[in-house]
């Protein structure tokens, strides 16, 4: 295998290798792989990825997988209330663990939550390959990847190891988050991954007493950034106690309060993602009308 080397290691009792430089990017049986990313940590990327995955399954009736690629700080075990280890098939593939209609895989299933993952880049890269490719996903319409924050090794590996149909960028409306969101957008453009849109998380706080909105992280910043970069904001999620509580309790708000305003907002994001993927698929069939693919 040209330009490649192999790392042998052990992960959850499964011996595996990662072949760097592989060009075989598609995962068998998986139609679309999308990344949920943010330049900055703490803006609600994992919360968005989890609620989006659940909304795609419950509201759009799709077959959905969720891969927690945040190797250093996996959130999916807690947010999806999963505390068992995956089983391994005869052909040495890990079986994803399903909850709320979504098949999940996370580093957090393999390593105790109290043990930090202290790995250098190549170990992280091989773990990500293992968790995406050597998993018995079955047939999926969409595999949602909760990316690690930032634009480093792990992000690049993910974008180069998997054939991503597109990336969703999550940001708060705050300048310091938007600066990093721009970096994320630029990284995806460089590796030719189309941006599906921006999600403005924590867009405002609506007072439960007087219903007055407070724009804690500023107003209009995400829309301005999107417009400047030729992109669209495809969802706005307010700060809401039920969202935070749902993440901490392991019951995403889309499940615990499916008819709430915020659940409807996640549902809209899901529908917009599906529509954008259909648009991109059409553009691929007719490349002459390909005006938005790498915007
Ligand atoms: P990231 O993945 O970007 O690091 P998380 O999704 O882990 O961020 O979210 C960080 C914290 O903010 C979590 O405690 C989560 O429950 C909370 N949070 C995220 N989005 C919202 C929201 N819209 N409303 C209330 N709390 C939120």
């Amino acid at each position: 295998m040209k330009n490649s080397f192999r790392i042998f290691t052990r992960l959850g009792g499964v011996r595996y290798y990662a072949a760097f430089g592989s060009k075989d990017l598609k995962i068998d049986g998986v139609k679309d792989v999308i990344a949920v990313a943010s330049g900055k940590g703490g803006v609600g990327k994992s919360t968005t990825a989890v609620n989006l995955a659940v909304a795609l399954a419950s509201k759009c009736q799709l077959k959905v997988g969720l891969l927690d690629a945040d190797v250093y700080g996996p959130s999916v075990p807690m947010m999806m209330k999963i505390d068992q280890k995956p089983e391994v098939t005869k052909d040495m593939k890990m079986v994803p663990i399903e909850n709320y209609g979504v098949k999940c895989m996370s580093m957090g299933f393999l390593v105790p939550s109290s043990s930090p993952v202290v790995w250098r880049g190549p170990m992280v890269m091989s773990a990500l390959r293992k968790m995406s490719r050597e998993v018995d996903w079955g047939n999926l319409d969409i595999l949602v990847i909760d990316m690690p924050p930032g634009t480093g090794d792990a992000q690049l590996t993910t974008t180069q190891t998997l054939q991503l149909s597109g990336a969703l960028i999550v940001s708060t409306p705050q300048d310091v988050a938007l600066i990093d969101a721009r970096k994320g957008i630029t990284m995806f453009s460089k590796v030719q991954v189309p941006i599906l849109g921006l999600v403005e998380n924590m867009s405002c706080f609506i007072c439960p007493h007087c219903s007055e909105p407070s724009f804690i992280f500023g107003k209009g910043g995400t829309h301005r950034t999107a417009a400047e970069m030729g992109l669209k904001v495809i969802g706005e999620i307010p700060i809401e106690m039920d969202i935070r509580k749902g993440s901490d309790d392991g019951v995403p708000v889309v499940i615990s309060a499916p008819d709430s305003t915020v659940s409807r907002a996640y549902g809209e994001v899901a529908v917009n993602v599906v529509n954008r993927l259909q648009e991109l698929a059409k553009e691929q069939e007719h490349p002459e009308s390909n005006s938005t693919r790498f915007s």
Side-chain angles (χ1 to χ4, degrees):
M1 208 174 296
K2 218 174 165 191
N3 292 333
S4 69
F5 66 97
R6 291 175 177 201
I7 290 181
F8 288 85
T9 184
R10 281 193 155 265
L11 183 68
V14 186
R15 192 149 185 249
Y16 71 97
Y17 72 84
F20 291 179
S22 169
K23 293 284 178 222
D24 182 23
L25 301 181
K26 268 201 97 70
I27 302 178
D28 279 347
V30 179
K31 252 188 245 164
D32 283 300
V33 181
I34 65 164
V36 177
S38 67
K40 204 165 194 57
V43 298
K45 167 188 56 62
S46 297
T47 308
T48 305
V50 162
N51 280 288
L52 169 64
V54 174
L56 285 165
S58 61
K59 294 184 191 257
C60 303
Q61 308 290 311
L62 297 175
K63 292 189 197 111
V64 183
L66 174 61
L67 169 60
D68 183 355
D70 199 342
V71 169
Y72 293 114
S75 305
V76 165
M78 186 184 208
M79 291 185 179
M80 292 293 279
K81 210 186 228 162
I82 295 173
D83 61 4
Q84 72 242 59
K85 285 195 188 312
E87 292 182 355
V88 179
T89 62
K90 279 189 200 124
D91 54 348
M92 299 303 272
K93 285 192 163 187
M94 288 189 286
V95 181
I97 301 170
E98 189 166 338
N99 203 7
Y100 310 124
V102 176
K103 291 181 177 178
C104 305
M105 182 50 62
S106 167
M107 192 60 183
F109 300 163
L110 309 169
V111 176
S113 57
S114 52
S115 319
V117 171
V118 190
W119 283 356
R120 291 192 192 277
M123 283 292 282
V124 174
M125 292 184 213
S126 56
L128 286 177
R129 282 180 173 82
K130 168 83 187 159
M131 287 198 301
S132 52
R133 306 206 152 274
E134 292 180 37
V135 171
D136 187 13
W137 290 111
N139 288 327
L140 293 183
D141 294 306
I142 300 191
L143 176 62
V144 177
I145 305 194
D146 179 11
M147 297 280 283
T151 49
D153 263 1
Q155 293 77 8
L156 268 178
T157 303
T158 312
T159 56
Q160 291 172 335
T161 319
L162 297 170
Q163 191 174 321
L164 293 176
S165 302
L168 192 64
I169 306 294
V170 180
S171 182
T172 61
Q174 199 179 3
D175 285 346
V176 72
L178 287 164
I179 288 169
D180 287 354
R182 277 172 183 270
K183 290 182 196 160
I185 293 166
T186 308
M187 180 196 78
F188 283 112
S189 303
K190 280 192 176 155
V191 290
Q192 306 271 292
V193 172
I195 302 296
L196 302 171
L198 274 72
V199 171
E200 183 177 85
N201 191 36
M202 310 190 191
S203 53
C204 66
F205 173 73
I206 298 167
C207 174
H209 307 292
C210 66
S211 302
E212 198 59 36
S214 299
F215 296 91
I216 295 170
F217 294 112
K219 194 178 175 189
T222 315
H223 285 270
R224 262 195 310 278
T225 302
E228 279 164 24
M229 302 193 85
L231 299 168
K232 281 189 186 148
V233 177
I234 64 165
E236 290 174 46
I237 315 287
I239 299 182
E240 165 100 33
M241 194 151 69
D242 283 352
I243 298 179
R244 195 275 308 148
K245 196 170 175 316
S247 295
D248 288 351
D249 293 349
V251 188
V253 70
V254 169
I255 297 289
S256 63
D259 298 322
S260 60
T261 309
V262 285
S263 290
R264 281 203 296 275
Y266 282 121
E268 266 171 45
V269 175
V271 169
N272 284 332
V273 164
V274 171
N275 290 341
R276 183 80 173 108
L277 287 171
Q278 283 170 355
E279 220 175 270
L280 288 166
K282 273 193 204 139
E283 284 177 12
Q284 244 180 354
E285 279 169 30
H286 306 285
E288 65 281 3
S289 64
N290 183 348
S291 55
T292 58
R293 189 164 170 76
F294 299 119
S295 57

